[in-house]
Amino acid sequence: MTKTIGFLGLGHMGGPMAANLVKAGYDVYAFDPSAAAQEQARADGIALADTGPAAAAGRDIVITMLTNGKLVRDVYAELLPAAVPATLFVDCSTIDVADAKAAAEAASAAGHRALDAPVSGGVAGAAAGTLTFMVGGADADFAEALPVLEVMGAKVVHCGASGVGQAAKICNNMLLGISMIGLSEALVLGEKLGLSHQSFFDVVSTASGQSWALTTYCPVPGPVPTSPANNDYQPGFATALMNKDLGLAVEALRANGVDGRIGALAAEIYSEFNETSGGRDFSAIVTEVRERSGGSAPAE
Ligand code: NAD
């Protein structure tokens, strides 16, 4: 029998994810307090409930896609008493490992089951149904959620116990932030030394400095035509979100006694850049590195 799904949080990510579930034939009952999100949901054929608890009550699976850990915990406190026993809660938001574990423990104490299942792939991946899910929780719960997650994603990885999905997300995004800054410094150094962006790309993309940041998301216009650099750094992945994820990474570094000096520095650099980024993509950090280096963008 097809599962019924409650879906809370129909924003940039949750809206298209819920729409893909509807397209795949699932009965989705959603809630979002934002009028704009509700309007889009109606256009996408998503059934709307009047409250969060009404969206969750009587469903097999309840998915949340919310902005931060406090909101997830607050929303769980409202939903858990309303849901039928043993409902499977799947939180796809990017939040702190400690908040993810606390939310799952609250679900379990209320007689339910819970997975953390944050995603990577951005708004484009959410719309195309090609997200990567990183999942933490019990084997049987993972197996039950898998067909539903596969509708919204191209890759679903069971990373381990509760909270470990969030751990994977935080580790990946810390490395991405570090690597985008490192790449930007190398590009600006190359500019100063007379190396064109295309020559830099042609060498480094197949040499030992190669990275996803360069080959898929090149932060200067030209070599990768689909990267945000070619579109005035419209996100993509906004600097504010990278700043948030690096904040979570730094907390996790400290809480676990890891000597993460580069991660901490990346968080500091993105925190400063977030003040002036004007909503641009996180790859626009290259413009900041160039400006601080007294340079101007070379003519391509
Ligand atoms: P968003 O702000 O667009 O969406 C959040 C939605 O939650 C909003 O529509 C808001 O109205 C709704 N909401 C607030 N309170 C609610 C409540 N009580 N009940 C139900 N809905 C409520 O954010 P987003 O960009 O969709 O991101 C969601 C999560 O996904 C974040 O944790 C983010 O870090 C993560 N993420 C985002 C991206 C991205 O590229 N946008 C990529 C990967 C992961």
Side-chain angles (χ1 to χ4, degrees), residues 25 27 54-55 58 112 116 141 148 155-156 196 229 245 250 252 256 264 283 300:
D27 281 334
H112 301 301
D116 48 295
D141 298 336
V148 174
K155 188 167 183 192
V156 184
S196 75
D245 290 358
V250 166
N256 292 282
S283 60
E300 289 296 323

Side-chain angles (χ1 to χ4, degrees), residues 53-76:
R59 316 301 167 212
D60 300 306
I61 296 182
V62 174
I63 298 174
T64 42
M65 191 49 163
L66 301 166
T67 39
N68 61 63
K70 181 177 182 314
L71 184 58
V72 171
R73 292 179 66 172
D74 289 350
V75 166
Y76 268 38

Side-chain angles (χ1 to χ4, degrees), residues 8-14 31-34 65-67 71 75 93-94 119 122-123 169 237 241 244:
L8 287 283
L10 301 171
H12 293 99
M13 297 294 290
F31 175 70
D32 191 305
S34 142
M65 191 49 163
L66 301 166
T67 39
L71 184 58
V75 166
S93 326
T94 301
V119 302
V123 177
K169 172 78 183 168
F237 187 50
L241 289 176
K244 170 193 155 185

Side-chain angles (χ1 to χ4, degrees), residues 185-197 199-200 293 296 298:
E185 292 181 359
L187 277 162
V188 171
L189 179 60
E191 289 169 7
K192 296 257 185 189
L193 296 173
L195 178 62
S196 75
H197 290 159
S199 297
F200 181 106
S293 311
S296 53

